[in-house]
Structure formats: structure tokens, C-alpha cells
Amino acid sequence: MNNVSIMACSIVNRPYYFFDLTSSIDITDKIKLDIISDVVCPWCIVGYKHLEAAITELGLEDKVEIEWQTFELNPDMSAEGGELRAYVARKYSSSREDSDRARANITQQGADYGFQFNYYDGMLIVNKLDAHVLLELAHKLDLQTQLKLRLFSAFFTEKKDVSDREVLITEAESIGINREQARVELADDRIRQNVKATINQWQQMGVSGLPTVVFNRTSALTGAQPQSTFKQVLLEILAEK
């Protein structure tokens, strides 16, 4: 990842960032999209589905290059995780009624774009470092988006524990990654430290809201923006080409 500095401002009432690159990047005909996200962030999959719909609406499927960037909303979460509703209540001082309304809202927004959320009592928020390690492997194998979407579905739809290494290895295998290769990657402490360093770098640059979508390493939107907003930004980029 290139070293960048981040400045935040507001454009047409939407959170928007500009990045100053301190090293050069290759300019291609494709629009480079870096999506900073976490695998247990519901707004990350909702935002991605909005972005995906905008790309499809504009017929840009072959003209964008997506790279998922590592980020953890709760990097200090223990290996065994914690109860999701209690975690959200502590973090946002929300009531049970607030939680129910939020879950219903997210579930509907997912359904509107073909994604199924299955929230349930006792649902856990878990440590995702191992998942991010495998996503780095998937990137090298050109399977990153497939694994990211598989993990979103595993966690939110199928109620699977994405902190469990055997679950992760099975999910990786389902999209074409060799089980033994995945196992070796998960056991490599150097790779784990590199993933942690990447997370820390994004935090130092001021990224805190997810998802954050960086366009051509020069500007970014944060939050699960509507399809229309992603469409507008993509059209602006196309007009500049």
C-alpha cells in the first residue's frame, strides 16, 4: 500500500476524503477502488452492494479494479468474542429497542439489494484477524472479492463463527483456495504482524468510519453511501478521463 496522508472535507453533504500520494501509482484505464472494511461490519456489505449496483448500472464491471483493505473496528476483541447486542449497547449507549430498530433497518437495506441478514439473540462479535490474513492470501490469488463476500454471508446469513480457523479454511476452500495453503498462511506470524501494521496505518491516516471507498488513490467516500452517490462519483471520474 502506498504511503498517503489523509484530509477530510465535505462535498455535497457527504463525507469525502482527499489523499495526497507520496509515491507514484500506475495509471491504467481501470478505476482503482480500495474498499477499507471489516468482515463483521454490516454497513460494509450494504455499502458494497450499493457500489456494485452503481457499477452495474453504468456498465463498468470490466473497468474497475477492487482491492479490499484490512481494518478492524474492535481489534482488541478477545479470541472467544463477546455478545453483539451487549457490545453495541456499551459502545453506543443504546437500548434493546434501539438495537431492534437498527437491526430491522439494516436487514431491510440488505434485502433491498439481495443480501440476507439473519440477526439472532446471542449473536457474537468476534476477533477477525485470521479472516483478514486469509483475505491477504486471497488477494495474491485474485480471489479476494469472492472470499470477502463469502465471509460476509458466512457471518451474517449463515451464523458461522468467522474467528474459527477451521470455518475460515473451509470457506476459503469453497472459493478455490487450497486448504493447506490457507493453513500455512494462518500459522505465519510475520503475515499476521503485517496485517496489524496495515490496520494501524489506516488508523493513523484518520480512517475510522466504515466502509471507506478510495477512488484511484486520490479521493474517498466513507459510510454506506446510496447507489446514486457512488454513481455520481464514478461519473465524475469517467468525465475526467
Side-chain angles (χ1 to χ4, degrees):
M1 183 180 65
N2 291 297
N3 293 323
V4 302
S5 61
I6 184 170
M7 298 179 293
C9 64
S10 179
I11 294 182
V12 296
N13 297 318
R14 62 182 187 258
Y16 206 92
Y17 296 98
F18 287 107
F19 291 78
D20 282 336
L21 298 179
T22 58
S23 59
S24 61
I25 60 173
D26 293 331
I27 303 300
T28 68
D29 290 333
K30 288 193 173 184
I31 299 171
K32 177 64 185 294
L33 302 177
D34 290 284
I35 306 177
I36 307 168
S37 71
D38 198 351
V39 296
V40 298
C41 164
W43 293 114
C44 291
I45 180 58
V46 170
Y48 172 75
K49 297 299 286 186
H50 293 172
L51 173 63
E52 179 184 51
I55 291 169
T56 300
E57 181 182 353
L58 295 173
L60 299 177
E61 294 92 336
D62 297 327
K63 297 180 180 179
V64 298
E65 176 188 347
I66 292 175
E67 181 175 352
W68 295 85
Q69 299 290 349
T70 298
F71 199 91
E72 284 196 281
L73 287 171
N74 52 336
D76 298 324
M77 180 61 63
S78 63
E80 63 272 16
E83 205 275 328
L84 177 60
R85 197 187 292 274
Y87 169 81
V88 171
R90 288 193 302 271
K91 185 173 182 178
Y92 300 107
S93 300
S94 60
S95 66
R96 173 68 182 240
E97 291 73 21
D98 293 332
S99 175
D100 287 341
R101 282 193 295 270
R103 289 185 175 194
N105 178 38
I106 293 169
T107 298
Q108 184 59 58
Q109 292 209 38
D112 288 344
Y113 281 80
F115 186 84
Q116 183 178 356
F117 286 97
N118 286 326
Y119 283 105
Y120 59 96
D121 287 336
M123 189 174 187
L124 298 179
I125 182 79
V126 297
N127 187 291
K128 296 87 54 186
L129 183 59
D130 283 343
H132 288 298
V133 167
L134 286 189
L135 283 164
E136 290 301 304
L137 171 62
H139 178 250
K140 291 184 284 188
L141 300 174
D142 199 26
L143 293 169
Q144 196 182 37
T145 293
Q146 293 94 313
L147 181 59
K148 188 76 170 190
L149 297 182
R150 177 86 290 277
L151 293 179
F152 278 135
S153 293
F155 182 71
F156 286 114
T157 307
E158 300 160 11
K159 306 179 182 180
K160 294 179 180 178
D161 180 358
V162 294
S163 67
D164 185 305
R165 287 193 174 186
E166 289 305 313
V167 169
L168 289 171
I169 290 169
T170 297
E171 298 306 314
E173 183 182 40
S174 75
I175 57 95
I177 297 176
N178 178 271
R179 289 185 71 89
E180 188 56 31
Q181 187 177 13
R183 200 179 302 279
V184 169
E185 200 85 357
L186 287 170
D188 191 327
D189 189 62
R190 178 185 55 83
I191 295 173
R192 297 171 68 81
Q193 294 306 315
N194 287 342
V195 169
K196 289 181 179 180
T198 299
I199 295 170
N200 185 58
Q201 184 173 357
W202 285 119
Q203 291 172 333
Q204 289 180 342
M205 291 190 302
V207 174
S208 59
L210 298 185
T212 293
V213 181
V214 184
F215 299 86
N216 284 335
R217 298 283 173 93
T218 57
S219 59
L221 284 171
T222 188
Q225 298 295 325
Q227 176 181 342
S228 59
T229 299
F230 283 123
K231 178 183 176 181
Q232 178 184 346
V233 174
L234 290 169
L235 286 172
E236 290 171 359
I237 293 171
L238 290 172
E240 294 170 359
K241 284 184 173 292

